[in-house]
Amino acid sequence: MMAGFGHGTRAHPRSRSRTWSRTGPDSATLGIIGTICAIAGFFVLGIVLGPVAVVCGWLAVGRSWAGANRSVPALVALVLGAIDTLLAVIALAGAATWGNGML
């Protein structure tokens, strides 16, 4: 049996699941990032940070949805991000009326 020239005896000698390289951040990190974006979105740039918080929260909840341990920061990011986005859209719709001189 020839084990040289790139043909090892095992199919995958170095499994990627055991190395430090992963496809992305884990659900706890995404939940915390989403929560920070949702809280900051109430004060500045809610129209941008709200959807970012919703996406981060959705990805974090989606990764742990099947398990019993749902991440609390992920759910907080999802809910606060949705509220933040809704309030920003309402504020922009109220600011764009005929009486305020924008149109």
Side-chain angles (χ1 to χ4, degrees):
M1 176 175 208
M2 293 184 63
F5 301 110
H7 300 289
T9 57
R10 293 186 290 170
H12 301 287
R14 292 184 188 144
S15 176
R16 288 191 183 269
S17 64
R18 289 186 286 148
T19 60
W20 59 271
S21 177
R22 294 187 303 195
T23 58
D26 57 350
S27 62
T29 304
L30 283 173
I32 292 170
I33 290 171
T35 302
I36 291 171
C37 287
I39 292 171
F42 282 114
F43 302 106
V44 292
L45 294 174
I47 195 69
V48 176
L49 293 176
V52 169
V54 169
V55 168
C56 287
W58 182 259
L59 290 175
V61 168
R63 290 185 180 187
S64 65
W65 194 260
N69 53 356
R70 291 185 180 90
S71 178
V72 173
L75 292 174
V76 169
L78 191 63
V79 171
L80 287 182
I83 293 170
D84 192 18
T85 304
L86 183 66
L87 290 177
V89 167
I90 290 172
L92 284 175
T97 60
W98 288 100
N100 290 336
M102 291 191 65
L103 295 175

